[in-house]
Amino acid sequence: MSLVWLYAVRLGGADRPPAGPGVDGESPRLVVEGPLVAVVGTVREEEFDEAALARAMEDLARIERLARAHHAVIVEAAAAEPTAPLRLATVYRDDEAVARMLRERAVEFGAVLERVRDRREWGVKVYVDAKPEAPVEAPASSDRPGTSYLLRRRADRDRGAQARERARAVADRLDEGLAQVAAGSHRMKPQDARLSGREQEMVLNATYLVDTDGEDEFRAALAAVEAEGATVELTGPWPPFSFATLGES
Amino acid sequence: MPELPRRVEAQPDTVGRDLGRLVLTIVELLRQLMERQALRRVDAGDLPDEKIEQLGLGLMRLEEAMVELREHFGLEPGDLNIDLGPLGNLLGPEAGSR
């Protein structure tokens, strides 16, 4: 027996399935329902039913393989038409169940897909030197060591607070500027410095939905940020993962 | 199913260090709270100079003692900064870099 794994729903391209391979090594197919085209794959039931997927979620290596294949098919599917990615592990009994779901949620999908038409997602991470400035060496008065210790610590505290405040202000200003040239924005928590492996502190971690003909303007806004001394990491273009990802409803 | 982590086994050479780390973390948290409270009182400006000097000396000695103890257990300042997940780090974001 087999099941149907859902990758994405898009508008059009009903005659061009992605080449794959998909999560089970299969060639992706299309299920067409009116203007909506679901990109699906036929997968083995014993590997992809609820129990098997629950087991798979505890196996990091397997999740990684699934996520990579899922992602690759979505990227391919989203190359030309407005496309809404599905969350990992969205599985239906058969094509008829997929078609029924498309009929039932046609209005919602239509709205989501129109929003991302001719737009792509870009990821932006901005790093700045958030380290407080080097301490001003206060003259260590030998007759009052305790007092000078406390004053030194107070200066440290104030510099740290100012540095964090500056970083936050930079991030807010950047996000505001970029959001103005984007059709949508989604801000996430900055990652810990240990994850990024950088000396600088991440102050902005966000994704933007940008018109394809507005990308020059978007890049110009980023360049302005870089000119101020921040490090900008741009990723993409991505399918609109942050703006059109569909889940079970 | 993944196996249970092996670190549950009590290994004599690491148990001392791990316990030391835990105790030092708590002492360091208290020391920083006391220091912050002292700085707030200095900010408020209602402490006589002698009192400030006493507080400062006490906190300074305490910090020196902490550094010695930390080195005794072979720990870095950042080792005492426990990651509390969504709550952030126990000793704040900057504590590890000092």
Side-chain angles (χ1 to χ4, degrees):
Chain A
M1 279 299 288
S2 62
L3 293 168
V4 177
W5 176 286
L6 194 47
Y7 294 97
V9 175
R10 71 183 182 194
L11 284 174
D15 53 350
R16 278 178 292 106
V23 289
D24 200 17
E26 87 289 357
S27 294
R29 303 178 292 111
L30 302 175
V31 174
V32 182
E33 181 64 41
L36 296 173
V37 178
V39 179
V40 303
T42 306
V43 295
R44 286 167 295 159
E45 179 165 6
E46 65 271 24
E47 292 289 328
F48 289 89
D49 66 5
E50 211 170 315
L53 282 175
R55 273 199 309 281
M57 290 305 141
E58 290 175 12
D59 180 347
L60 271 184
R62 175 111 201 272
I63 294 179
E64 188 191 339
R65 282 196 304 277
L66 288 178
R68 281 182 189 281
H70 186 71
H71 186 262
V73 171
I74 289 171
V75 168
E76 211 190 332
E81 291 85 12
T83 301
L86 264 293
R87 278 193 222 294
L88 193 67
T90 308
V91 177
Y92 285 85
R93 172 94 358 230
D94 51 29
D95 285 6
E96 180 42 40
V98 174
R100 193 163 52 238
M101 185 275 296
L102 291 179
R103 277 195 302 277
E104 282 166 4
R105 298 176 64 187
V107 176
E108 176 196 342
F109 287 2
V112 165
L113 289 166
E114 281 308 328
R115 177 162 185 243
V116 300
R117 184 188 283 279
D118 298 326
R119 289 170 173 160
R120 302 196 286 186
E121 176 172 333
W122 297 86
V124 175
K125 294 188 173 83
V126 177
Y127 305 84
V128 300
D129 286 316
K131 289 253 167 64
E133 294 148 32
V136 189
E137 279 308 321
S141 72
S142 49
D143 55 331
R144 289 201 164 268
T147 306
S148 58
Y149 170 83
L150 266 191
L151 294 182
R152 211 161 54 234
R153 299 295 298 137
R154 183 165 73 163
D156 286 349
R157 178 197 67 182
D158 294 345
R159 268 200 322 280
Q162 282 161 8
R164 278 193 298 280
E165 192 47 53
R166 267 201 310 278
R168 220 186 343 261
V170 168
D172 288 346
R173 198 156 40 79
L174 292 183
D175 183 46
E176 224 169 273
L178 292 173
Q180 269 175 12
V181 292
S185 69
H186 181 67
R187 211 163 143 179
M188 292 161 290
K189 199 168 172 277
Q191 290 164 353
D192 194 282
R194 279 170 298 185
L195 270 181
S196 69
R198 284 174 189 266
E199 283 284 306
Q200 293 176 303
E201 194 182 329
M202 189 188 296
V203 292
L204 183 67
N205 181 16
T207 56
Y208 299 89
L209 186 65
V210 183
D211 291 344
T212 39
D213 56 11
E215 283 171 7
D216 288 343
E217 204 185 340
F218 187 71
R219 280 175 189 279
L222 286 177
V225 169
E226 245 168 341
E228 287 181 46
T231 306
V232 176
E233 196 180 281
L234 178 68
T235 58
W238 303 104
F241 288 113
S242 306
F243 301 95
T245 294
L246 304 171
E248 304 282 334
S249 71
Chain B
M1 284 293 286
E3 281 179 62
L4 281 174
R6 252 176 252 154
R7 65 172 173 273
V8 170
E9 281 175 38
Q11 299 189 349
D13 51 335
T14 62
V15 155
R17 188 175 180 270
D18 290 345
L19 190 60
R21 178 177 164 185
L22 189 59
V23 172
L24 284 190
T25 298
I26 293 165
V27 175
E28 175 64 11
L29 175 66
L30 292 176
R31 191 193 69 77
Q32 289 195 11
L33 290 176
M34 282 162 60
E35 192 171 277
R36 267 181 238 176
Q37 182 63 23
L39 290 179
R40 266 198 292 273
R41 294 187 66 186
V42 172
D43 285 340
D46 58 356
L47 283 179
D49 288 355
E50 287 82 71
K51 188 74 187 160
I52 293 181
E53 178 62 20
Q54 275 174 15
L55 266 175
L57 268 184
L59 289 166
M60 189 169 73
R61 300 268 147 75
L62 200 50
E63 191 186 31
E64 285 163 5
M66 278 301 295
V67 171
E68 272 174 36
L69 279 169
R70 223 177 48 221
E71 280 166 3
H72 173 79
F73 285 102
L75 297 166
E76 298 288 324
D79 289 338
L80 303 186
N81 202 357
I82 297 179
D83 184 356
L84 300 176
L87 298 179
N89 289 336
L90 182 66
L91 301 180
E94 77 280 32
S97 56
R98 204 150 41 86

